[in-house]
Structure formats: structure tokens, C-alpha cells
Amino acid sequence: MEQDRKRRQTKAVFLGGLQIGGGAPIVVQSMTNTDTRDVRSTVAQIRELKEAGCEAVRCAVPDQEAALALAEIKKRTDLPLIADIHFDPRLACQAIRSGVDGIRINPGNMGTDGIRAIVKEARQRQVVIRIGINSGSVEADILKRQGGPTAAALVESAINNLQLLEDLGQQQIKISLKSSDVPTMIAAYRQMAAKTDYPLHLGVTEAGTLVNAAIKSAIGIGSLLYEGIGDTIRVSVTGNPVDEMGIAWGILRALNIRKIGPDIISCPTCGRCEIDLPRLVAALEERLSGRNEYLKIALMGCVVNGPGEAAHADIGIAGGRGVGMLFKQGKVIRKIREEDFIETLLYEIEDMTNS
Ligand code: SF4
């Protein structure tokens, strides 16, 4: 459930049956890093992404073979499929004919005739076009006028491209303005949100490996979502895209926007802790990975702050010397041994989520 908050009003677009914008829940997206021509590996990764919480997936289309492969990929997944294309409008047209639900292009690098051909195909098949502005691909004249890839430059490029698509009659449009610089990205989306009511796809580009990506995305995407800006998000991680899901859903959970999956609260430990809390938390995270039910679970090192924190959780344990107090919905249930913590929690969680 999405918590009440003042969200920017946007138009609704439809990636297949999935609504984006128009008040729909924020959609979590990712992108495969397999060779799209390798249908088997790509479908396998899409399946993994879906299991981890991905709701729409994008595949790179570097050539005609990849554009054709999308037809087979589309048959083997029910996730909305988006083709990511640069420079060559023929690839975009082929991807649309292959049955994708959306395409991501930077219209500025396709040429007017190319865009006209893409829009014709997209309109016939109700395909969403994302105008994907990136700080690395802003047009040279705009960069010169704006003094580099500033927020204003990203917005100017997006507005020009939007005008182009609107003039050709395309209505299913979403927009992204990604920068690797977090303050620039935030400013660009804020400015764009004030100028248009098309849905916005949020992301920090080239965010780095896991920790950096989590920090930059939590600040960039999280700040905007907190202000009510953004309709769909993608966290970029250098590495396995499945890792993006934990961060993306963690951001949505932390802001009480979409509560899906276990929210594990644990203390940093200190000299009072007499249980092996890091090991226990890691074990619990592993055993609960892939679960969709929202539950606040507290694992606290001692009884100083532990009971207080655990009492605010759906279920929790506050540790002692080799033992712990099990709390459920604010009430002490019983004392348990450290070696039984994980199995006890899992048993109780199963009981709570099935009742
Ligand atoms: Fe230390 Fe206890 Fe607080 Fe954990 S809950 S940080 S062990 S005082």
C-alpha cells in the first residue's frame, strides 16, 4: 500500500498492462546485462529479476539480431519489455515490431526522419516511448549555451525532444533526465516536474558498485520521491542487476511508499551485545530473501534499547547472554536460546503471514 503523500499529478501511460503515472504505484524497473541476442541467458536473467521484485525490464539493442531476438524474449516473459536503442531508428522500429511494450531512446540522436518512422510504429502498437536524456548525450549546441551538462541543459534537451514527439502525435511518453551527479539529477527532475505532467522515470546514471549505487540512488531517487516526484525508478549498479532490486525496494520501503518485503531492523551492536548479531542478521536476510510480505522485524543486541525497538516491530528479538526475548506486536512472548533465534523467527513469521 502506498502511504498518503502529495504526489505530483501525472498522465498515465501503459507498458502493456502495467500503468505508470496517473496515480499508479511507483514501478521498479531494471535492465538486463546479458547479450540480448542470447535469448536463453536473457530470459533467465529476466526471470531472476522478476523473482527479486522487478516490474518492467529493459534490454539493450545494439544491432538487428538483438532487435529480432526481442520477439522470442517477449514470448517467454510476462514482464513488460522495453528496448534500449541509440542512434539507429531502424532498430527501434524492428524492436517495436518484435512486440516490446516500450522503447527508450534519446530522440536527439535519431534524426527527424528516424523519429517520424519510430513514432508511426509506436502509435500503431500503443508503445510507450521514454525520452532518455543522459548527461553524456546532451546535444552540443545546448551544452555550449548552458555551459555544460547542467540541470538546465538536461531539461532543455528533454523539452525539445518532447516537442518533437508531441508534434508527431505520440502521447504515450515518459521522460528521464539522468546524471551521475546527484544534485544535478535532483535539480533537473525538479525543473522538469514543474514544466510537464508526463510520468518521470528516476535514476542516477553510472552510480557505481553496490555501496556507492545505494548511497547515490537513496539520496537522488529518494529525495525526489519524498517530494512526490517520480513514477518509476531504476537503480543502476555495476554488477548483477538483481542487486538493484534490494536497493530500489529498500528506498520505497524506507519512505513508506510501497511496503513489500521484510524490513529488518538491527542495531549497530556495542560493548553490551552478547550475541553474534551480525551473523544472525545475515542469516535471517538470506533466509527471507525473495519474500514479498511486508513485516518489520527487529533483531537487537541487548535489552537496553532492544525491547523498545522490538516493541515497534511486528516481531523481534532483543538479545541477552546467549538468549533473547521474543516480542510480537509489542508483547513479550517468551525467552529463547540464541541457537534457536532464526528458526523461531522464521516459524513465527510463517505463522503471521499465513494467518
Ligand atoms: Fe548496544 Fe544494545 Fe543498543 Fe545494540 S541495542 S547498540 S547492543 S545498547
Side-chain angles (χ1 to χ4, degrees):
M1 277 292 284
E2 195 154 352
Q3 197 194 45
D4 285 345
R5 68 194 171 98
K6 194 152 173 42
R7 251 183 92 182
R8 171 179 161 260
Q9 298 287 314
T10 54
K11 294 175 179 166
V13 299
F14 292 88
L15 272 177
L18 181 68
Q19 181 178 335
I20 294 180
I26 308 288
V27 168
V28 172
Q29 301 196 26
S30 184
M31 185 169 178
T32 52
N33 63 1
T34 51
D35 182 340
T36 306
R37 293 165 295 195
D38 180 348
V39 171
R40 211 164 128 182
S41 304
T42 303
V43 170
Q45 191 170 64
I46 291 174
R47 195 169 298 131
E48 273 183 74
L49 282 165
K50 185 183 174 189
E51 277 168 17
C54 178
E55 298 174 308
V57 67
R58 184 160 44 113
C59 299
V61 182
D63 59 20
Q64 195 69 14
E65 199 185 334
L68 288 166
L70 290 171
E72 192 55 34
I73 294 168
K74 178 69 188 160
K75 276 189 216 154
R76 298 200 207 169
T77 179
D78 58 359
L79 270 194
L81 191 63
I82 302 159
D84 188 275
I85 296 131
H86 287 278
F87 305 114
D88 190 343
R90 289 167 303 176
L91 299 181
C93 291
Q94 179 55 57
I96 294 170
R97 287 194 292 271
S98 288
V100 295
D101 304 291
I103 57 168
R104 179 263 161 150
I105 55 172
N106 184 343
N109 66 28
M110 294 278 189
T112 310
D113 287 346
I115 292 299
R116 195 168 286 124
I118 294 170
V119 170
K120 192 171 167 216
E121 296 277 357
R123 286 183 63 192
Q124 270 172 18
R125 292 173 170 81
Q126 302 283 303
V127 163
V128 179
I129 298 180
R130 167 151 70 94
I131 298 172
I133 305 299
N134 205 302
S135 53
S137 59
V138 175
E139 296 86 342
D141 60 319
I142 296 177
L143 289 177
K144 197 169 167 200
R145 193 166 40 252
Q146 299 287 0
T150 59
L154 295 174
V155 171
E156 186 179 338
S157 177
I159 294 286
N160 291 348
N161 286 309
L162 181 58
Q163 190 70 57
L164 185 60
L165 292 190
E166 282 182 331
D167 288 349
L168 293 169
Q170 176 71 18
Q171 292 177 336
Q172 293 277 297
I173 298 171
K174 53 193 168 75
I175 301 166
S176 62
L177 308 111
K178 296 189 183 179
S179 169
S180 56
D181 182 70
V182 175
T184 300
M185 171 263 186
I186 293 173
Y189 278 104
R190 277 182 183 154
Q191 289 175 26
M192 198 69 200
K195 288 179 189 292
T196 176
D197 59 359
Y198 284 103
L200 296 179
H201 168 100
L202 305 184
V204 178
T205 192
E206 294 126 25
T209 51
L210 207 58
V211 173
N212 256 334
I215 294 167
K216 289 184 178 180
S217 301
I219 296 170
I221 295 173
S223 302
L224 289 161
L225 290 176
Y226 189 65
E227 293 173 16
I229 296 171
D231 302 280
T232 175
I233 65 172
R234 192 249 168 140
V235 169
S236 302
V237 171
T238 306
N240 188 344
V242 174
D243 292 340
E244 297 172 5
M245 294 301 105
I247 303 170
W249 283 106
I251 293 170
L252 294 176
R253 248 193 330 265
L255 290 170
N256 294 337
I257 290 175
R258 288 185 72 186
K259 292 181 165 184
I260 291 177
D263 187 3
I264 300 178
I265 297 158
S266 58
C267 76
T269 77
C270 67
R272 296 182 192 91
C273 184
E274 295 183 277
I275 56 173
D276 187 356
L277 195 66
R279 185 188 62 77
L280 289 164
V281 174
L284 188 64
E285 275 179 354
E286 196 188 327
R287 298 285 295 274
L288 290 175
S289 80
R291 298 280 296 247
N292 286 332
E293 308 92 338
Y294 176 77
L295 269 187
K296 208 172 209 180
I297 305 158
L299 260 175
M300 307 299 290
C302 80
V303 291
V304 173
N305 294 321
E309 290 293 340
H312 291 115
D314 295 299
I315 185 162
I317 292 175
R321 181 174 292 179
V323 293
M325 297 303 295
L326 176 71
F327 293 80
K328 217 169 152 182
Q329 315 286 20
K331 290 199 183 82
V332 178
I333 304 295
R334 63 181 182 274
K335 192 186 264 189
I336 50 178
R337 296 180 309 170
E338 182 177 347
E339 56 267 40
D340 297 330
F341 278 12
I342 301 301
E343 294 309 323
T344 304
L345 277 174
L346 289 170
Y347 176 84
E348 296 288 347
I349 288 166
E350 208 58 53
D351 189 48
M352 289 168 90
T353 51
N354 287 330
S355 60

